Every structure is written in C-alpha cells, then in structure tokens.
Amino acid sequence: MTSLSEDPSRLIGEPDRDTAVQRLREAYAEGLISHDVLDERLDQVLAATTHGDLAFALDSLPAEKAGTTSTLAAAGGRIRRRGAWRVPRFLKVASAFGRVRLDLSRAVIEHPVVDIELHIGTGKVKITVPRDAVVDVEGVRTGWKPTRYKPREHSGPDGPTIRISGVVGFGRLTVRHAWR
C-alpha cells in the first residue's frame, strides 16, 4: 500500500481511496469531525485523482493512531497467529523462508478494513478469514504458484474487509473462509 506522503502528483488507486474513506469514517466516529465535514471530505476523496488531492481532503485530521500497524517477521521458521489475538489495522508479515499461518476466524478485529502486507521469500502462506469477511487479493504478486482463493457467494454486510497485498516469492498463498 502506498503512503499519502508520497509525490503529490502521483495518481492514486482504489486502495488509497479506500484508506482515505476509512480514515474519514474513523474521524467521524471518534467525534473529530461533524457530519457536514464528513460529507464534504468524502466528496473530495471520491473525486480525487492524485495523492495531493487526498492529502488536501485529510489535512486537518490527526495522524493515525500509534499501534495501528504491527509487523510479524522471521528470517526462517514459522510465523503463526491463532485464537483470540487482536488484529491491527495494518499488518506486515515478512519471512525469508518458512511457513506463515494466520487464523483470523476467532481473532478480535476492531477495524472494518484490515490490510495485510506480505513479504515472503520462500514458503507457504495460509490465511483463514472470518466467514462473513470480504477478501481482496488483487494486490498480491506471486513468483511461483498462483494464489488460491475462492470467494464466498454470500458474505455478510457486517463482516470486515481483508485486503491482502505484497509478494510471495517461491511458495503459495492460500486464503479460505472459516466454516463457522
């Protein structure tokens, strides 16, 4: 994912726009901006084409809260998270070689959108998402085997959106929905 502090003339993509919309919604929910300001800023974000446009729409918002980004890293071996763990807004996962297993099915997900950025050299990555989650794997580049993911036909309207991006070199990313 790109940062809003980049070159202001650089064109934005949908993930950038979604992140900006989410920041506005969070600011409104926390009482930092009024409903009228939210409407005005959402219009600006939806019409934005460059990072400069987004920065203008978000300029009076406070910086994102500390602790909304976490990194799980290992040079080798396994990275595993399961059970009732707290999922940050942005999760970076880096492994030179080894297996990665993230089970979000019973995790505490406090954010409507969670971005998972993968930097995997060699190894399998398996991610289990909640049954009602909406998953976007368009931002993942694989060097060896294609990503395995079959979207659910009926995702719930209240489920989180899980956006997965990054690189999986020699290995495979498998994403599946939990049964329960």
Side-chain angles (χ1 to χ4, degrees), residues 28-44:
Y28 176 71
E30 293 172 9
L32 300 174
I33 59 175
S34 69
H35 188 278
D36 292 337
V37 171
L38 173 66
D39 283 343
E40 176 186 325
R41 298 289 179 88
L42 284 174
D43 288 341
Q44 290 174 350

Side-chain angles (χ1 to χ4, degrees), residues 12-165:
I12 61 168
E14 284 308 307
D16 300 311
R17 189 181 317 276
D18 292 344
T19 299
V21 166
Q22 185 57 36
R23 283 199 58 208
L24 288 170
R25 287 181 178 164
E26 289 171 0
Y28 176 71
E30 293 172 9
L32 300 174
I33 59 175
S34 69
H35 188 278
D36 292 337
V37 171
L38 173 66
D39 283 343
E40 176 186 325
R41 298 289 179 88
L42 284 174
D43 288 341
Q44 290 174 350
V45 166
L46 295 175
T49 57
T50 66
H51 283 273
D53 295 338
L54 285 183
F56 180 74
L58 302 175
D59 68 350
S60 67
L61 297 180
E64 287 191 85
K65 293 179 185 172
T68 59
T69 301
S70 291
T71 301
L72 300 174
R78 292 185 178 180
I79 295 176
R80 173 181 255 171
R81 292 291 182 271
R82 63 182 181 181
W85 62 289
R86 187 173 306 275
V87 179
R89 169 68 179 87
F90 296 100
L91 178 62
K92 295 180 181 182
V93 181
S95 176
F97 61 92
R99 292 183 180 198
V100 175
R101 177 78 168 109
L102 301 177
D103 185 345
L104 283 67
S105 64
R106 287 184 268 153
V108 177
I109 301 175
E110 300 172 324
H111 307 281
V113 178
V114 173
D115 287 294
I116 300 174
E117 184 178 330
L118 302 173
H119 296 281
I120 309 300
T122 302
K124 294 180 181 180
V125 179
K126 291 184 180 182
I127 301 175
T128 303
V129 298
R131 183 179 181 147
D132 59 349
V134 175
V135 179
D136 177 6
V137 294
E138 295 297 316
V140 177
R141 293 187 329 264
T142 57
W144 191 35
K145 293 185 177 182
T147 297
R148 284 186 184 167
Y149 172 63
K150 181 179 177 185
R152 288 185 48 88
E153 290 183 25
H154 303 288
S155 292
D158 297 328
T161 298
I162 311 293
R163 295 188 302 212
I164 304 170
S165 62

